[in-house]
Amino acid sequence: MAAPKTAKSAPPLLDDDKTVELADMFKMLGDPSRLRIVTATLEGPRAVGEIAAMLGLSVSLVSHHLRLLRATRLVSPERRGKQIFYRVHDQHVAHVIRDMIAHVNEEAE
Amino acid sequence: MAAPKTAKSAPPLLDDDKTVELADMFKMLGDPSRLRIVTATLEGPRAVGEIAAMLGLSVSLVSHHLRLLRATRLVSPERRGKQIFYRVHDQHVAHVIRDMIAHVNEEAE
DNA sequence: ATAACAATTGAACAAGTGTTCAATCGTATG
DNA sequence: CATACGATTGAACACTTGTTCAATTGTTAT
């Protein structure tokens, strides 16, 4: 909790549940390692070890992050032999992230 | 740092600086209080006390968050008399956030 | 100047976070 | 079966983070 004031009057633009849900999604992308992992899976299914090598991170660390990303439904796993391939969970997520990347890459205004 | 492996080979989709910059932006929006504050300023310039009342948060807390949001250039202040009004820093930021909200509100797939 | 109002600031604390290391699980191949 | 490989898991750690409270700065009015 935050304030003793019992104030509440403005119409929302986003209800409380959606706000928390969205914040959780943002939080997941708010860590550089995780953001790199997600953008890596954006280009196609990538195995855990592959991601780790690409990014210069330990397999353990990548796996920990993938567990969180899975829980937030940002990526989804698919087993193929010994390896497990991850990709962005759906097109919805992919679009949002691509959008953000585009905006940061433009940066012209 | 993370892994001792000296691996590095894949072409980026987003260079390191931009990645960190984007992650910082995401991190700011990754807290529910802050996300609500930003969406509040999305509808027009809002005074600090006004925001605090709308959201049921203490003025102090809102101010702390606004300092962070200012530092990340997500909002910008404008003094008008005793009060200080905040609004989303630019259209760029506004668009990205509106986009995200729209996506979460749809949620249909 | 004094008082009142709006907002910022700093210290302090609990709770959460990213990372590492070692151990474990799952799947394929000898 | 055993061995090797890929990935997950859990404990432990230092570090960061969100929040509160009290004190302070800045602004307008009396």
Side-chain angles (χ1 to χ4, degrees):
Chain A
M1 292 86 196
K5 291 267 187 184
T6 49
K8 173 185 63 175
S9 58
L13 169 64
L14 192 61
D15 64 80
D16 271 27
D17 290 338
K18 300 273 187 188
T19 301
V20 173
E21 181 189 337
L22 186 53
D24 280 343
M25 184 178 165
F26 278 130
K27 190 180 295 182
M28 283 301 113
L29 301 172
D31 175 75
S33 299
R34 235 141 40 202
L35 183 54
R36 287 193 192 95
I37 291 174
V38 173
T39 63
T41 67
L42 207 59
E43 303 174 65
R46 295 266 181 272
V48 178
E50 191 180 356
I51 299 173
M54 283 176 61
L55 278 57
L57 302 174
S58 76
V59 174
S60 172
L61 179 54
V62 171
S63 184
H64 276 298
H65 282 312
L66 284 171
R67 181 166 50 89
L68 297 175
L69 293 170
R70 246 185 288 133
T72 325
R73 296 234 177 71
L74 283 169
V75 301
S76 53
E78 181 196 350
R79 174 141 236 153
R80 219 178 297 175
K82 292 187 205 173
Q83 318 188 69
I84 301 183
F85 291 78
Y86 282 85
R87 49 184 166 117
V88 272
H89 183 266
D90 57 28
Q91 227 162 353
H92 167 207
V93 173
H95 175 257
V96 167
I97 295 171
R98 277 189 221 273
D99 232 40
M100 284 292 217
I101 292 177
H103 278 294
V104 172
N105 274 334
E106 292 168 4
E107 192 82 349
E109 180 160 2
Chain B
M1 292 85 196
K5 290 268 187 185
T6 50
K8 174 184 62 173
S9 60
L13 170 65
L14 192 60
D15 64 81
D16 270 28
D17 291 338
K18 300 273 187 188
T19 301
V20 172
E21 181 189 339
L22 185 54
D24 280 344
M25 185 177 165
F26 277 131
K27 190 182 295 182
M28 283 300 114
L29 301 173
D31 175 74
S33 299
R34 235 142 41 204
L35 183 54
R36 288 193 192 95
I37 291 174
V38 174
T39 63
T41 67
L42 208 59
E43 304 173 64
R46 296 263 180 273
V48 178
E50 190 180 357
I51 298 173
M54 283 176 61
L55 278 57
L57 302 175
S58 78
V59 174
S60 172
L61 179 54
V62 171
S63 184
H64 275 298
H65 282 312
L66 284 170
R67 180 167 50 87
L68 297 175
L69 293 169
R70 244 186 289 133
T72 324
R73 296 234 179 72
L74 283 169
V75 301
S76 53
E78 181 197 349
R79 173 142 237 154
R80 218 178 298 174
K82 291 187 205 175
Q83 318 187 68
I84 301 183
F85 291 77
Y86 282 85
R87 51 184 164 109
V88 271
H89 184 265
D90 58 26
Q91 229 162 351
H92 167 207
V93 173
H95 176 257
V96 167
I97 294 172
R98 278 188 221 274
D99 232 39
M100 284 293 217
I101 292 178
H103 277 294
V104 171
N105 275 334
E106 293 169 5
E107 191 80 352
E109 180 159 359

